[in-house]
Amino acid sequence: MNVIVNGESVQLQDGIENVKDLLEHYDIQDKVVVVEVNGNILTSAQHQSTRLSDKDRIEIVHFVGGG
Amino acid sequence: MNNRYSRQELFTPIGKAGQENISRKHVLIIGAGALGSAGAEALVRAGIGQLTIVDRDYVEWSNLQRQQLYTEDDARNRLPKVIAAKNRLSAINSSVSIEAIIADASALELKEWTQNVDLIIDATDNFETRMMINDAAQMYGIPWIYGACVGSYGITYTIIPKKTPCLSCLLGTVPLGGLTCDTAGIIGPAVNMVVSYQISEALKILVGDSDSLRNKLISFDLWKNQYSAIKVEKLKKKDCPSCGKERTYPYLSFENQTKTAVLCGRDSVQIRPAHPVVRDLEALEKTLQKQGGTVQRNPYLLSFSTGSHRLVIFQDGRVIVHGTKNISEAKTLYHRYFG
């Protein structure tokens, strides 16, 4: 399926079905992130239960510590 | 009166009244690295009344690429960052009262500093300190502005007690590991972009224009050309230990503080004694000269090089061990040379 991640169109391979899969795909599953799907903000408990669909708009923000 | 603030006063949302407000405000900046340098310069140029800036570190050559207040002389002299910062900031705007504090922000000190300020700018390089700032800010009802960057990526969020979620609501826990300036580097524009967001928000708060605050978690990557701004108010937790009803301010309690830290951007470990001490650096210099290796001293610190390591000790007993990221190795060296 085709989704928009942080404003960029991305073709997702088969097997990426929910937000948790997506974070693993980007190898950021261990980071502290905030994810929004189609304008709805998710708690981390909702990552696995939130299924992705074609044309979803996803924003992923990860927290960093440098400064 | 000269017209040094005329362009800022011509900007309608600030105006003369706003400038008056700005000139009466006291801002606390925790950290005088890249974010702290740029943020402090912007606020001092904007004409705040009082600035307190805190940092535990001294200027090094690897800072000069992005930490805009510092010069080659500062690096050569290993000047504590806040001393070098104050010198430069006072030259930029002598009407601002500037307090420079050479210290590692501990819970006790943070509480003390926070009580007397209108706003806190986060310019730290670690989450542990940020969580302490977050608790202290909630305790005294002071707004603070989170900002961080690594590589070409930056992130910022304005935290207003009783209104927005706090950092603890957003993070849930203190993030461990991940990329740092050490592993991923950092470019100047990412720093300045974060600071631009932070100081714009700061000016809104200082003039009292809270309606104009952004209310979104901002992140961007200047190299990958990405940007996102998301609403996070739904993440405010009623049972948050830092801002909820039954709050306990856990990050201000002693047992939640580590006494060692790997420093961002450098192959170094900092070690703090459990209780503040006053070191006799002159006496220490004499002792260390007998150990072999090179000893250098200025009024604020002593630097001792041995083999591939360099140990720097400050008057308050803190030690920075360069040449290792390994905390136990650092502790070994610390105990070997400083007892």
Side-chain angles (χ1 to χ4, degrees), chain B residues 250-290:
Chain B
Y251 297 98
L252 294 177
S253 71
F254 188 74
E255 56 270 29
N256 277 323
Q257 294 168 53
T258 323
K259 301 299 178 289
T260 55
V262 180
L263 299 185
C264 182
R266 305 222 306 259
D267 195 19
S268 328
V269 174
Q270 177 184 255
I271 300 169
R272 275 179 72 176
H275 305 286
V277 295
V278 180
R279 284 278 190 171
D280 182 348
L281 297 180
E282 203 177 338
L284 196 58
E285 184 181 27
K286 284 179 188 151
T287 314
L288 289 173
Q289 272 164 346
K290 296 173 198 152

Side-chain angles (χ1 to χ4, degrees), chain A residues 6 8 31-32 34 36 40-43 59-67, chain B residues 34-35 125-127 130 146 148-150 153 155 171 219 226 228 230-232:
Chain A
N6 292 359
E8 260 180 75
K31 290 190 183 176
V32 176
V34 169
E36 187 191 72
N40 294 316
I41 192 120
L42 307 178
T43 63
E59 300 287 344
I60 304 173
V61 173
H62 67 274
F63 286 86
V64 294
Chain B
L35 293 174
D125 60 3
N126 65 87
F127 280 109
R130 286 191 178 94
Y146 162 63
C149 46
V150 61
Y153 179 83
I155 178 166
L171 297 181
S219 74
Q226 292 176 341
S228 103
I230 62 180
K231 287 186 177 178
V232 290

Side-chain angles (χ1 to χ4, degrees), chain B residues 159-315:
Chain B
I159 292 162
I160 310 286
K162 292 183 183 160
K163 284 190 181 164
T164 69
C166 76
L167 192 64
S168 183
C169 294
L170 299 185
L171 297 181
T173 166
V174 184
L176 292 172
L179 291 176
T180 67
C181 306
D182 235 349
T183 55
I186 173 78
I187 56 169
V191 172
N192 287 305
M193 184 70 101
V194 170
V195 171
S196 293
Y197 281 113
Q198 284 184 303
I199 302 304
S200 302
E201 292 283 276
L203 291 174
K204 294 171 193 174
I205 290 169
L206 297 179
V207 302
D209 187 5
S210 57
D211 290 347
S212 296
L213 287 169
R214 185 173 284 270
N215 293 319
K216 284 181 177 173
L217 176 66
I218 302 293
S219 74
F220 59 83
D221 191 311
L222 294 174
W223 211 270
K224 293 180 183 162
N225 306 315
Q226 292 176 341
Y227 168 84
S228 103
I230 62 180
K231 287 186 177 178
V232 290
E233 58 265 49
K234 276 191 193 160
L235 296 179
K236 189 166 175 65
K237 292 178 187 155
K238 281 182 185 153
D239 59 351
C240 173
S242 299
C243 74
K245 272 191 174 165
E246 311 274 321
R247 55 178 77 182
T248 57
Y249 308 117
Y251 297 98
L252 294 177
S253 71
F254 188 74
E255 56 270 29
N256 277 323
Q257 294 168 53
T258 323
K259 301 299 178 289
T260 55
V262 180
L263 299 185
C264 182
R266 305 222 306 259
D267 195 19
S268 328
V269 174
Q270 177 184 255
I271 300 169
R272 275 179 72 176
H275 305 286
V277 295
V278 180
R279 284 278 190 171
D280 182 348
L281 297 180
E282 203 177 338
L284 196 58
E285 184 181 27
K286 284 179 188 151
T287 314
L288 289 173
Q289 272 164 346
K290 296 173 198 152
Q291 303 278 326
T294 320
V295 189
Q296 277 181 295
R297 182 168 66 88
N298 69 24
Y300 313 100
L301 55 85
L302 181 150
S303 166
F304 174 57
S305 304
T306 172
S308 59
H309 296 102
R310 189 158 56 83
L311 289 83
V312 174
I313 183 160
F314 289 76
Q315 221 163 22

